[in-house]
Amino acid sequence: MKVICTSPSFAKYDAAPINTLQQHGFELITLPADAPLSALEPHLAETVAMIVAFTDVNEALLAQAPQLKIVCKHGVGVDNINLDATRARGIYVTNVPDANKHAVADFAFALILNSARQITQAAIETRAGNWPRIFATDVYGKTLGIIGLGNIGKQVALRAKGFNMRVIAFDFYPDEKFAAEHGIEFVSLDQLTENSDFITLHKPLTDKTQNLFDAARIKRMKKSAFLINASRGGIVNEQDLYQALLDNVIAGAAADVFEQEPLAEHPLFTLSNFIPTSHIAGYTDGAISAIGERCVAQIVQCIKQGERPTNVMNGLD
C-alpha cells in the first residue's frame, strides 16, 4: 500500500506522521512538489493515498491510480484537485482546515503591520547605507475589513482587537454568533471595500471569488488603504493591482500568494508599495507538524478503519 507525498514540508519537523504510516503498513513514496506525472506513474498503480501540496490531481493522474482511495491536501485550499473527477471515482478529497490557522493569522497580521509601517522598505534602504526617515501610518484604532470570517479570519479578528481596531467582515456564510461575541459587524462587500483602512482576504479560490478584487473594486477602496492577500492567488487580479499601485489608487498591498507559483519575477515585484512573500504563511514548526498528523489520521480513518475521513471536500458520502 503506497502513499505518495508531494508536499515538501510533510513531517519536516517531526517524524511522527511517517512513523504512523509505517506502523499501519503503508509505504511512503516522497516526490518533489513539482514532480511531473511521469515521475508519479511508476507508483500510481499501487497507490492508495496521496498527500499533496500543489500537484495537479487531474483525470490523467486518476486514470493511472486504480487503487487510490483518498487525496489529502497538506493544507487548506483544494483548487489543484479535480473534485468532480475524484467524486465520480469515489475517491475522498480531504484538507486540514484549522491546523495552521494561528500561523496564517500571525502572518497576515504581520503583513498588515509591515505594510502600514513600511518595515521591508526601511530595512532595504538601511542595509543599502541610507538612513530613511519613513513617515508611515497607524494600525492601532483603524478599521480592518476581513473577507472570509472562517477559521483563519476569526483568528485575525482576535488579533486586531489587541490593536483596538474596529473589525468589519464579509462572508457568504456569516457566523453571526462569533461576530456578536467579539463585536464584529457583518457588512456588504461594497461597504467593507469603501470603509476599511486594511482589507485582508481569507477565502478559497472559487467561481465567486475569482478576480474578486479587480480594477473596479480596488478603485472603491480608500486611497490610504492597504490590501492583504494570504489566501489564494487569483482572488486579486494581479495586473489590475499593479496598475492601481503604480497610479497610487491605494496606499499599498502585500501578497503571499500568486496566480502562478513559484515566481522568479513579476511586475508587482518592481513596486516599493508592494510586499511579496513566497506562500509561506502556514510554514511554522507547529503548524506543519499538526497538518502532517491530521493528513495521516484521515488516511488511517479511510483505509485501515473503513470510515469516512473527517474533512471531506468533494461531497463524497
Side-chain angles (χ1 to χ4, degrees):
M1 297 187 297
K2 290 185 177 181
V3 176
I4 291 178
C5 178
T6 59
S7 174
S9 57
F10 176 73
K12 180 178 177 63
Y13 298 100
D14 188 347
I18 297 174
N19 295 336
T20 301
L21 285 174
Q22 292 173 343
Q23 289 166 8
H24 284 89
F26 295 104
E27 178 187 357
L28 180 63
I29 307 297
T30 303
L31 296 169
D34 58 353
L37 180 56
S38 59
L40 277 66
E41 284 174 342
H43 308 286
L44 286 173
E46 301 174 56
T47 294
V48 295
M50 295 183 70
I51 300 170
V52 302
F54 305 108
T55 299
D56 186 7
V57 181
N58 52 32
E59 291 181 343
L61 184 154
L62 296 173
Q64 298 189 51
Q67 298 187 58
L68 187 62
K69 301 298 182 186
I70 181 171
V71 178
C72 301
K73 177 60 182 276
H74 195 255
V76 180
V78 294
D79 42 288
N80 57 303
I81 303 170
N82 189 320
L83 300 183
D84 292 333
T86 50
R87 184 168 54 249
R89 281 274 311 276
I91 299 168
Y92 289 113
V93 174
T94 69
N95 72 344
V96 184
D98 61 353
N100 67 355
K101 63 184 179 182
H102 292 295
V104 177
D106 284 350
F107 197 89
F109 212 86
L111 290 179
I112 290 170
L113 291 168
N114 194 347
S115 297
R117 299 306 308 270
Q118 300 181 46
I119 296 169
T120 294
Q121 188 65 21
I124 290 170
E125 292 189 28
T126 303
R127 186 177 288 116
N130 302 318
W131 197 253
R133 296 294 184 184
I134 293 177
F135 293 88
T137 191
D138 291 323
V139 172
Y140 188 86
K142 293 295 183 69
T143 296
L144 174 64
I146 302 176
I147 297 180
L149 197 68
N151 288 315
I152 296 169
K154 289 174 181 175
Q155 292 302 317
V156 175
L158 295 178
R159 285 153 177 76
K161 288 300 179 178
F163 284 77
N164 196 35
M165 300 184 83
R166 175 194 177 207
V167 179
I168 57 178
F170 170 81
D171 202 300
F172 297 114
Y173 309 99
D175 186 339
E176 300 283 1
K177 183 175 182 291
F178 179 89
E181 288 174 350
H182 298 283
I184 300 165
E185 179 186 358
F186 278 111
V187 297
S188 71
L189 183 58
D190 286 344
Q191 288 175 308
L192 184 147
T193 303
E194 294 166 2
N195 291 284
S196 298
D197 298 301
F198 302 89
I199 296 175
T200 182
L201 307 177
H202 299 287
K203 294 295 290 180
L205 180 63
T206 66
D207 291 341
K208 286 184 177 181
T209 61
Q210 179 82 40
N211 290 319
L212 186 65
F213 273 76
D214 56 8
R217 181 152 302 282
I218 294 170
K219 285 179 182 177
R220 300 185 74 149
M221 294 173 61
K222 293 181 178 181
K223 187 177 177 64
S224 58
F226 297 84
L227 179 61
I228 310 298
N229 186 10
S231 54
R232 275 291 178 269
I235 296 177
V236 177
N237 184 298
E238 293 172 4
Q239 180 56 45
D240 290 353
L241 178 62
Y242 170 78
Q243 195 61 49
L245 292 173
L246 191 66
D247 296 340
N248 294 311
V249 173
I250 59 175
D256 187 48
V257 290
F258 296 88
E259 291 180 28
Q260 300 294 325
E261 298 178 6
L263 281 173
E265 57 183 19
H266 194 289
L268 283 165
F269 294 176
T270 66
L271 303 177
S272 61
N273 56 350
F274 179 74
I275 301 169
T277 53
S278 51
H279 206 145
I280 56 172
Y283 287 7
T284 66
D285 49 3
I288 292 300
S289 296
I291 291 171
E293 290 169 3
R294 295 189 193 182
C295 283
V296 169
Q298 294 189 91
I299 291 173
V300 172
Q301 269 185 304
C302 174
I303 297 173
K304 301 298 289 188
Q305 299 171 355
E307 300 175 356
R308 186 179 189 271
T310 303
N311 300 109
V312 177
M313 298 300 293
N314 60 343
L316 193 63
D317 293 330

